[in-house]
Protein backbone atom coordinates (compact mmCIF):
# COMPACT_ATOMS: atom_id res chain seq x y z
CA UNK A 1 0.00 0.00 0.00
CA UNK A 2 1.40 3.43 -0.90
CA UNK A 3 0.65 7.03 0.08
CA UNK A 4 -0.58 9.42 -2.58
CA UNK A 5 0.98 12.88 -2.75
CA UNK A 6 -0.77 15.99 -4.00
CA UNK A 7 1.29 17.78 -6.63
CA UNK A 8 0.80 21.18 -8.22
CA UNK A 9 -0.28 21.10 -11.86
CA UNK A 10 -0.14 24.24 -14.00
CA UNK A 11 -3.41 24.42 -15.94
CA UNK A 12 -3.09 26.89 -18.84
CA UNK A 13 -6.39 28.30 -20.09
CA UNK A 14 -7.07 31.03 -22.69
CA UNK A 15 -8.52 33.30 -19.99
CA UNK A 16 -5.60 33.02 -17.58
CA UNK A 17 -3.73 30.66 -15.32
CA UNK A 18 -4.98 28.75 -12.30
CA UNK A 19 -3.73 26.12 -9.87
CA UNK A 20 -5.42 22.77 -9.40
CA UNK A 21 -4.31 20.08 -6.99
CA UNK A 22 -5.44 16.68 -8.27
CA UNK A 23 -4.03 13.56 -6.60
CA UNK A 24 -1.04 12.16 -8.43
CA UNK A 25 -1.05 8.55 -9.52
CA UNK A 26 2.69 8.30 -9.01
CA UNK A 27 3.78 6.24 -5.96
CA UNK A 28 6.03 8.01 -3.50
CA UNK A 29 8.03 6.80 -0.52
CA UNK A 30 6.17 6.34 2.75
CA UNK A 31 8.39 8.90 4.46
CA UNK A 32 10.33 11.96 3.37
CA UNK A 33 13.65 13.21 4.55
CA UNK A 34 13.80 16.86 5.66
CA UNK A 35 15.71 17.61 2.46
CA UNK A 36 12.97 16.01 0.32
CA UNK A 37 10.28 18.02 2.08
CA UNK A 38 12.27 21.21 1.62
CA UNK A 39 12.69 20.57 -2.12
CA UNK A 40 8.98 19.80 -2.56
CA UNK A 41 8.03 22.97 -0.72
CA UNK A 42 10.42 25.06 -2.80
CA UNK A 43 9.03 23.62 -6.03
CA UNK A 44 5.49 24.41 -4.92
CA UNK A 45 6.43 27.98 -3.97
CA UNK A 46 8.25 28.48 -7.26
CA UNK A 47 5.19 27.30 -9.18
CA UNK A 48 2.88 29.57 -7.21
CA UNK A 49 5.22 32.53 -7.78
CA UNK A 50 5.35 31.72 -11.47
CA UNK A 51 1.55 31.63 -11.68
CA UNK A 52 1.25 34.95 -9.84
CA UNK A 53 3.89 36.51 -12.09
CA UNK A 54 2.16 35.36 -15.28
CA UNK A 55 -1.21 36.63 -14.05
CA UNK A 56 0.34 40.01 -13.25
CA UNK A 57 1.88 40.15 -16.72
CA UNK A 58 -1.46 39.21 -18.31
CA UNK A 59 -3.17 42.03 -16.43
CA UNK A 60 -0.56 44.45 -17.74
CA UNK A 61 -0.83 43.05 -21.27
CA UNK A 62 -4.59 43.55 -21.25
CA UNK A 63 -4.24 47.03 -19.74
CA UNK A 64 -1.99 48.03 -22.64
CA UNK A 65 -4.54 46.64 -25.11
CA UNK A 66 -7.99 48.12 -24.39
CA UNK A 67 -10.91 46.26 -25.90
CA UNK A 68 -12.36 47.91 -28.96
CA UNK A 69 -16.14 48.18 -29.28
CA UNK A 70 -17.22 46.40 -32.42
CA UNK A 71 -20.65 47.03 -33.94
CA UNK A 72 -22.51 45.66 -36.94
CA UNK A 73 -25.58 46.82 -38.83
CA UNK A 74 -27.58 43.93 -37.40
CA UNK A 75 -26.82 44.84 -33.79
CA UNK A 76 -26.49 48.61 -34.07
CA UNK A 77 -30.15 49.39 -33.32
CA UNK A 78 -30.40 46.86 -30.51
CA UNK A 79 -27.29 48.13 -28.76
CA UNK A 80 -27.58 51.86 -29.43
CA UNK A 81 -29.24 52.69 -26.11
CA UNK A 82 -26.89 50.48 -24.10
CA UNK A 83 -23.83 51.86 -25.85
CA UNK A 84 -24.92 55.45 -25.31
CA UNK A 85 -25.58 54.77 -21.63
CA UNK A 86 -22.23 52.98 -21.20
CA UNK A 87 -20.35 55.83 -22.85
CA UNK A 88 -21.60 58.45 -20.40
CA UNK A 89 -19.27 57.50 -17.52
CA UNK A 90 -16.38 57.29 -19.99
CA UNK A 91 -17.16 60.80 -21.25
CA UNK A 92 -17.39 62.12 -17.71
CA UNK A 93 -14.13 60.39 -16.85
CA UNK A 94 -12.29 62.01 -19.77
CA UNK A 95 -13.78 65.42 -18.96
CA UNK A 96 -12.51 65.10 -15.41
CA UNK A 97 -9.11 63.86 -16.57
CA UNK A 98 -8.64 66.63 -19.14
CA UNK A 99 -9.12 69.24 -16.40
CA UNK A 100 -5.96 67.95 -14.72
CA UNK A 101 -4.11 67.18 -17.98
CA UNK A 102 -5.29 69.82 -20.46
CA UNK A 103 -4.30 69.82 -24.11
CA UNK A 104 -0.83 71.23 -24.71
CA UNK A 105 -2.28 72.93 -27.79
CA UNK A 106 -4.98 74.78 -25.90
CA UNK A 107 -2.46 75.68 -23.18
CA UNK A 108 0.30 76.61 -25.62
CA UNK A 109 0.50 80.28 -24.58
CA UNK A 110 0.93 79.34 -20.92
CA UNK A 111 3.67 76.84 -21.81
CA UNK A 112 5.74 79.31 -23.81
CA UNK A 113 5.14 82.02 -21.22
CA UNK A 114 6.81 79.75 -18.64
CA UNK A 115 9.89 79.61 -20.89
CA UNK A 116 10.52 83.34 -20.79
CA UNK A 117 14.21 83.88 -20.08
CA UNK A 118 14.88 80.14 -20.22
CA UNK A 119 16.24 77.65 -22.74
CA UNK A 120 13.67 75.10 -23.87
CA UNK A 121 15.09 71.59 -24.24
CA UNK A 122 12.93 69.06 -26.12
CA UNK A 123 12.77 65.35 -25.29
CA UNK A 124 10.73 63.16 -27.65
CA UNK A 125 9.73 59.51 -27.50
CA UNK A 126 9.53 57.79 -30.90
CA UNK A 127 6.87 55.07 -31.28
CA UNK A 128 3.38 56.45 -30.73
CA UNK A 129 4.76 60.00 -30.45
CA UNK A 130 6.65 60.78 -33.65
CA UNK A 131 5.44 57.73 -35.56
CA UNK A 132 2.14 55.87 -35.44
CA UNK A 133 1.94 52.52 -33.65
CA UNK A 134 2.06 49.87 -36.38
CA UNK A 135 1.77 46.08 -36.42
CA UNK A 136 5.32 45.55 -37.70
CA UNK A 137 7.80 47.47 -35.50
CA UNK A 138 10.34 47.37 -38.34
CA UNK A 139 8.00 49.56 -40.39
CA UNK A 140 7.37 52.31 -37.83
CA UNK A 141 8.47 55.01 -40.25
CA UNK A 142 8.16 58.67 -39.38
CA UNK A 143 6.08 60.70 -41.86
CA UNK A 144 7.96 63.33 -43.88
CA UNK A 145 5.92 66.12 -42.32
CA UNK A 146 6.87 64.96 -38.82
CA UNK A 147 10.54 64.72 -39.78
CA UNK A 148 10.39 68.30 -41.06
CA UNK A 149 8.79 69.45 -37.79
CA UNK A 150 11.46 67.71 -35.67
CA UNK A 151 14.23 69.10 -37.89
CA UNK A 152 12.90 72.65 -37.46
CA UNK A 153 12.53 72.24 -33.69
CA UNK A 154 16.15 71.07 -33.44
CA UNK A 155 17.28 74.26 -35.19
CA UNK A 156 16.01 76.35 -32.31
CA UNK A 157 16.12 74.03 -29.28
CA UNK A 158 18.40 71.22 -28.09
CA UNK A 159 16.40 68.09 -29.02
CA UNK A 160 16.73 64.46 -27.93
CA UNK A 161 14.97 61.29 -29.06
CA UNK A 162 14.51 59.05 -26.00
CA UNK A 163 13.24 55.59 -26.89
CA UNK A 164 13.18 51.94 -25.95
CA UNK A 165 14.45 51.14 -29.43
CA UNK A 166 18.05 50.40 -30.30
CA UNK A 167 19.80 53.73 -30.88
CA UNK A 168 20.99 52.76 -34.35
CA UNK A 169 17.48 51.59 -35.31
CA UNK A 170 15.77 54.81 -34.26
CA UNK A 171 18.44 56.88 -36.02
CA UNK A 172 17.69 54.94 -39.22
CA UNK A 173 14.05 56.03 -38.82
CA UNK A 174 14.68 59.68 -37.91
CA UNK A 175 17.73 60.35 -40.11
CA UNK A 176 18.49 63.74 -38.60
CA UNK A 177 21.91 64.90 -37.48
CA UNK A 178 22.22 67.49 -34.73
CA UNK A 179 19.95 65.55 -32.35
CA UNK A 180 20.75 63.56 -29.23
CA UNK A 181 19.71 59.91 -29.44
CA UNK A 182 19.05 57.92 -26.26
CA UNK A 183 18.23 54.31 -27.16
CA UNK A 184 17.36 51.26 -25.03
CA UNK A 185 15.39 53.41 -22.55
CA UNK A 186 18.29 55.81 -22.20
CA UNK A 187 21.00 53.20 -21.60
CA UNK A 188 22.76 54.06 -24.88
CA UNK A 189 23.20 57.79 -25.48
CA UNK A 190 25.04 59.59 -28.21
CA UNK A 191 24.98 63.26 -29.09
CA UNK A 192 26.20 65.50 -31.88
CA UNK A 193 29.86 66.42 -32.24
CA UNK A 194 31.56 68.80 -29.83
CA UNK A 195 30.99 71.66 -32.25
CA UNK A 196 27.21 71.43 -31.83
CA UNK A 197 25.91 74.93 -31.06
CA UNK A 198 23.90 74.13 -27.91
CA UNK A 199 26.61 72.15 -26.12
CA UNK A 200 28.15 74.30 -23.36
CA UNK A 201 31.04 71.88 -22.80
CA UNK A 202 33.76 71.03 -25.28
CA UNK A 203 33.21 67.27 -25.66
CA UNK A 204 30.80 65.14 -27.58
CA UNK A 205 28.32 62.99 -25.65
CA UNK A 206 28.59 59.20 -25.66
CA UNK A 207 27.35 57.15 -22.72
CA UNK A 208 26.35 53.51 -22.16
CA UNK A 209 24.86 52.55 -18.81
CA UNK A 210 25.09 48.75 -18.97
CA UNK A 211 27.78 47.61 -21.38
CA UNK A 212 28.59 44.54 -19.29
CA UNK A 213 25.10 43.19 -20.01
CA UNK A 214 25.50 43.07 -23.79
CA UNK A 215 26.53 39.36 -24.01
CA UNK A 216 23.64 38.43 -21.69
CA UNK A 217 21.14 40.41 -23.75
CA UNK A 218 22.30 38.59 -26.90
CA UNK A 219 21.79 35.23 -25.16
CA UNK A 220 18.31 36.18 -24.02
CA UNK A 221 17.40 37.40 -27.49
CA UNK A 222 18.39 34.07 -29.07
CA UNK A 223 16.58 32.11 -26.36
CA UNK A 224 13.37 34.11 -26.78
CA UNK A 225 13.43 33.75 -30.56
CA UNK A 226 13.66 29.98 -30.12
CA UNK A 227 11.09 29.74 -27.32
CA UNK A 228 8.44 31.90 -29.00
CA UNK A 229 8.78 30.75 -32.61
CA UNK A 230 5.77 28.44 -32.22
CA UNK A 231 3.49 31.35 -31.16
CA UNK A 232 2.15 33.06 -34.30
CA UNK A 233 2.49 36.82 -34.48
CA UNK A 234 5.30 37.14 -31.93
CA UNK A 235 8.09 39.54 -32.86
CA UNK A 236 11.31 39.51 -30.81
CA UNK A 237 13.51 42.57 -31.26
CA UNK A 238 17.10 42.98 -30.05
CA UNK A 239 17.41 46.59 -28.91
CA UNK A 240 21.05 46.16 -27.84
CA UNK A 241 20.62 46.86 -24.13
CA UNK A 242 17.16 45.34 -23.88
CA UNK A 243 15.01 42.76 -25.67
CA UNK A 244 11.47 43.60 -26.77
CA UNK A 245 8.80 40.92 -27.27
CA UNK A 246 6.03 42.47 -29.36
CA UNK A 247 2.62 40.78 -29.06
CA UNK A 248 0.54 43.25 -31.09
CA UNK A 249 -0.15 40.55 -33.69
CA UNK A 250 -0.52 37.65 -31.22
CA UNK A 251 -4.00 36.23 -30.66
CA UNK A 252 -5.08 36.99 -27.09
CA UNK A 253 -5.70 33.28 -26.56
CA UNK A 254 -1.94 32.77 -26.92
CA UNK A 255 -0.89 35.45 -24.44
CA UNK A 256 -0.69 32.97 -21.56
CA UNK A 257 1.62 30.69 -23.52
CA UNK A 258 3.75 33.66 -24.56
CA UNK A 259 4.03 34.99 -21.00
CA UNK A 260 5.01 31.53 -19.77
CA UNK A 261 7.81 31.23 -22.33
CA UNK A 262 9.12 34.69 -21.42
CA UNK A 263 9.02 33.76 -17.73
CA UNK A 264 10.95 30.54 -18.32
CA UNK A 265 13.72 32.43 -20.08
CA UNK A 266 13.79 35.29 -17.57
CA UNK A 267 14.08 32.84 -14.65
CA UNK A 268 17.55 31.93 -15.89
CA UNK A 269 18.73 35.55 -15.70
CA UNK A 270 18.18 37.08 -12.24
CA UNK A 271 20.11 40.21 -13.24
CA UNK A 272 17.43 41.08 -15.78
CA UNK A 273 13.91 42.39 -15.20
CA UNK A 274 10.71 42.61 -17.20
CA UNK A 275 8.70 45.77 -17.86
CA UNK A 276 5.61 46.31 -19.99
CA UNK A 277 4.81 48.85 -22.67
CA UNK A 278 2.16 49.23 -25.37
CA UNK A 279 1.69 45.62 -26.48
CA UNK A 280 5.31 44.82 -25.75
CA UNK A 281 7.16 42.96 -23.00
CA UNK A 282 10.66 44.28 -22.42
CA UNK A 283 13.57 42.54 -20.75
CA UNK A 284 16.29 44.85 -19.51
CA UNK A 285 19.13 44.97 -16.97
CA UNK A 286 18.31 45.62 -13.32
CA UNK A 287 20.42 48.77 -13.32
CA UNK A 288 19.08 51.98 -11.86
CA UNK A 289 18.66 53.68 -15.19
CA UNK A 290 15.60 54.71 -17.17
CA UNK A 291 14.29 57.53 -19.33
CA UNK A 292 14.16 59.84 -16.33
CA UNK A 293 17.83 59.28 -15.58
CA UNK A 294 18.62 59.78 -19.26
CA UNK A 295 16.80 63.13 -19.17
CA UNK A 296 18.89 64.26 -16.19
CA UNK A 297 22.09 63.02 -17.83
CA UNK A 298 21.38 64.97 -21.00
CA UNK A 299 20.52 68.14 -19.11
CA UNK A 300 23.86 67.83 -17.32
CA UNK A 301 25.66 67.16 -20.62
CA UNK A 302 24.09 70.35 -22.00
CA UNK A 303 25.29 72.32 -18.99
CA UNK A 304 21.91 72.67 -17.27
CA UNK A 305 22.36 70.24 -14.35
CA UNK A 306 21.51 72.72 -11.58
CA UNK A 307 20.31 75.58 -13.69
CA UNK A 308 17.10 77.56 -13.33
CA UNK A 309 17.53 78.85 -16.86
CA UNK A 310 16.15 75.77 -18.59
CA UNK A 311 12.65 74.46 -19.37
CA UNK A 312 12.67 70.74 -20.28
CA UNK A 313 9.65 69.55 -22.27
CA UNK A 314 9.20 65.77 -22.58
CA UNK A 315 6.58 64.27 -24.92
CA UNK A 316 5.82 60.53 -24.79
CA UNK A 317 3.03 57.98 -24.88
CA UNK A 318 4.33 54.91 -23.03
CA UNK A 319 4.66 53.72 -19.44
CA UNK A 320 8.43 54.03 -19.67
CA UNK A 321 7.99 57.77 -20.32
CA UNK A 322 6.44 58.12 -16.87
CA UNK A 323 9.96 57.90 -15.39
CA UNK A 324 10.80 61.14 -17.20
CA UNK A 325 7.48 62.79 -16.30
CA UNK A 326 8.13 61.93 -12.65
CA UNK A 327 11.60 63.50 -12.74
CA UNK A 328 10.16 66.74 -14.11
CA UNK A 329 7.56 66.76 -11.36
CA UNK A 330 10.22 66.21 -8.71
CA UNK A 331 12.45 68.93 -10.16
CA UNK A 332 9.43 71.28 -10.36
CA UNK A 333 10.90 72.28 -13.67
CA UNK A 334 9.52 71.84 -17.16
CA UNK A 335 6.52 69.90 -18.41
CA UNK A 336 5.63 66.35 -19.33
CA UNK A 337 3.13 65.87 -22.17
CA UNK A 338 1.37 62.50 -22.48
CA UNK A 339 0.22 61.35 -25.91
CA UNK A 340 -3.02 59.43 -25.37
CA UNK A 341 -6.59 59.36 -26.60
CA UNK A 342 -7.85 57.84 -23.35
CA UNK A 343 -7.41 58.87 -19.70
CA UNK A 344 -4.43 57.29 -17.96
CA UNK A 345 -2.72 57.69 -14.62
CA UNK A 346 0.23 59.93 -15.39
CA UNK A 347 2.75 62.37 -13.97
CA UNK A 348 2.49 64.45 -17.13
CA UNK A 349 1.16 68.00 -16.87
CA UNK A 350 -0.45 68.19 -20.30
CA UNK A 351 -1.76 65.88 -23.00
CA UNK A 352 -1.97 65.45 -26.76
CA UNK A 353 -4.18 62.85 -28.40
CA UNK A 354 -2.00 61.48 -31.21
CA UNK A 355 1.17 62.05 -33.28
CA UNK A 356 -0.61 64.54 -35.56
CA UNK A 357 -1.16 66.79 -32.53
CA UNK A 358 2.50 66.34 -31.55
CA UNK A 359 3.43 67.60 -35.01
CA UNK A 360 1.12 70.60 -34.62
CA UNK A 361 2.61 71.41 -31.21
CA UNK A 362 6.17 71.28 -32.60
CA UNK A 363 5.21 73.51 -35.53
CA UNK A 364 3.62 76.07 -33.23
CA UNK A 365 6.72 76.03 -31.07
CA UNK A 366 8.91 76.82 -34.09
CA UNK A 367 6.55 79.56 -35.30
CA UNK A 368 6.54 81.13 -31.83
CA UNK A 369 10.35 81.07 -31.70
CA UNK A 370 10.64 82.67 -35.14
CA UNK A 371 8.26 85.46 -34.12
CA UNK A 372 10.09 86.06 -30.85
CA UNK A 373 13.41 86.20 -32.73
CA UNK A 374 11.95 88.68 -35.18
CA UNK A 375 10.58 90.85 -32.38
CA UNK A 376 13.95 90.79 -30.60
CA UNK A 377 15.74 91.98 -33.75
CA UNK A 378 13.31 94.84 -34.24
CA UNK A 379 13.62 95.98 -30.62
Amino acid sequence: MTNQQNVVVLDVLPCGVRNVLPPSSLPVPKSFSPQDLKMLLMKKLETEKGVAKINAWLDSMRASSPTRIRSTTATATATATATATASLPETDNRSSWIVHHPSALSMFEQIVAASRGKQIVMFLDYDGTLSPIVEDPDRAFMPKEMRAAVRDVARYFPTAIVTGRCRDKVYSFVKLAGLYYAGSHGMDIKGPSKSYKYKKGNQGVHFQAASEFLPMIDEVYRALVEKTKSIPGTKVENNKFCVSVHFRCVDEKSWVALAEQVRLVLNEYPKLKLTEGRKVLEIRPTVKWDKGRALEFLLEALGYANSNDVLPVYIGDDRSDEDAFKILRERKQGFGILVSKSPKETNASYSLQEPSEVKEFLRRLVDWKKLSHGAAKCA
Side-chain angles (χ1 to χ4, degrees):
M1 182 175 180
T2 60
N3 293 331
Q4 300 293 319
Q5 178 200 359
N6 287 340
V7 296
V8 177
V9 177
L10 186 65
D11 182 16
V12 181
L13 296 175
C15 60
V17 180
R18 64 178 182 175
N19 280 328
V20 293
L21 297 169
S24 171
S25 60
L26 298 175
V28 296
K30 292 183 179 181
S31 61
F32 294 98
S33 68
Q35 187 65 24
D36 290 334
L37 288 171
K38 183 179 179 180
M39 289 181 66
L40 286 169
L41 180 59
M42 288 180 65
K43 287 182 179 179
K44 183 176 185 296
L45 289 174
E46 286 176 3
T47 303
E48 290 174 346
K49 287 180 180 178
V51 170
K53 187 178 291 185
I54 290 175
N55 279 329
W57 291 357
L58 286 172
D59 289 342
S60 295
M61 291 164 79
R62 293 190 181 103
S64 71
S65 314
T67 303
R68 295 179 180 178
I69 299 175
R70 290 179 292 179
S71 61
T72 64
T73 303
T75 60
T77 303
T79 60
T81 302
T83 301
T85 303
S87 67
L88 287 175
E90 182 179 341
T91 302
D92 292 342
N93 187 28
R94 175 156 185 83
S95 298
S96 174
W97 184 81
I98 206 71
V99 168
H100 297 95
H101 309 284
S103 168
L105 291 174
S106 64
M107 301 296 289
F108 183 80
E109 295 302 325
Q110 289 88 329
I111 292 173
V112 295
S115 72
R116 191 169 291 115
K118 300 179 180 180
Q119 173 65 63
I120 293 176
V121 181
M122 295 299 303
F123 297 89
L124 304 168
D125 181 31
Y126 185 75
D127 294 279
T129 300
L130 300 181
S131 75
I133 296 293
V134 295
E135 290 187 351
D136 183 356
D138 289 333
R139 299 189 62 80
F141 303 119
M142 185 166 62
K144 292 180 180 179
E145 295 81 4
M146 181 67 84
R147 180 176 290 104
V150 174
R151 180 195 62 222
D152 291 344
V153 162
R155 287 175 177 169
Y156 292 98
F157 314 103
T159 301
I161 307 296
V162 187
T163 175
R165 298 278 200 141
C166 170
R167 177 170 55 82
D168 292 338
K169 172 67 74 67
V170 79
Y171 183 83
S172 72
F173 285 147
V174 178
K175 297 178 181 177
L176 291 174
L179 275 65
Y180 292 81
Y181 290 87
S184 302
H185 299 284
M187 285 183 281
D188 185 12
I189 301 174
K190 189 171 183 180
S193 66
K194 61 183 180 181
S195 62
Y196 186 51
K197 59 182 177 180
Y198 293 114
K199 182 75 170 59
K200 289 187 176 182
N202 59 2
Q203 295 180 348
V205 176
H206 191 197
F207 172 79
Q208 294 182 333
S211 297
E212 66 274 19
F213 287 91
L214 290 177
M216 188 182 297
I217 291 295
D218 286 339
E219 287 181 16
V220 170
Y221 168 72
R222 290 193 295 269
L224 285 170
V225 169
E226 181 64 27
K227 288 280 189 181
T228 63
K229 65 182 182 181
S230 62
I231 303 175
T234 305
K235 170 74 174 179
V236 183
E237 185 179 15
N238 188 338
N239 284 313
K240 192 170 182 177
F241 288 89
C242 62
V243 178
S244 301
V245 182
H246 300 272
F247 59 92
R248 184 166 300 278
C249 298
V250 177
D251 191 305
E252 188 170 347
K253 294 178 181 179
S254 299
W255 287 2
V256 172
L258 178 61
E260 171 64 6
Q261 293 304 318
V262 172
R263 183 185 72 86
L264 289 173
V265 172
L266 196 58
N267 281 351
E268 302 297 319
Y269 298 91
K271 292 185 178 181
L272 301 179
K273 64 180 179 180
L274 182 135
T275 59
E276 303 91 12
R278 290 182 67 178
K279 288 196 173 182
V280 62
L281 299 173
E282 295 183 307
I283 294 89
R284 33 178 168 156
T286 54
V287 295
K288 293 182 178 179
W289 199 265
D290 51 39
K291 290 183 176 183
R293 302 270 182 143
L295 180 150
E296 290 188 306
F297 173 86
L298 285 166
L299 286 177
E300 182 176 355
L302 287 162
Y304 295 111
N306 300 303
S307 174
N308 293 321
D309 300 329
V310 63
L311 187 82
V313 177
Y314 189 108
I315 307 179
D317 75 309
D318 207 347
R319 292 182 185 181
S320 59
D321 299 309
E322 290 297 327
D323 295 318
F325 297 154
K326 183 179 179 182
I327 288 293
L328 294 179
R329 286 275 188 184
E330 291 174 351
R331 292 171 65 102
K332 297 181 179 179
Q333 187 178 47
F335 303 111
I337 301 176
L338 175 68
V339 183
S340 177
K341 287 186 176 181
S342 58
K344 295 179 181 178
E345 290 187 13
T346 181
N347 284 296
S349 302
Y350 300 105
S351 63
L352 293 168
Q353 291 200 34
E354 55 192 358
S356 63
E357 289 196 354
V358 174
K359 179 180 66 179
E360 177 62 22
F361 179 83
L362 297 180
R363 283 180 170 172
R364 289 184 65 177
L365 198 60
V366 170
D367 291 342
W368 165 79
K369 190 65 175 179
K370 286 179 179 178
L371 286 173
S372 62
H373 264 201
K377 289 180 180 179
C378 294

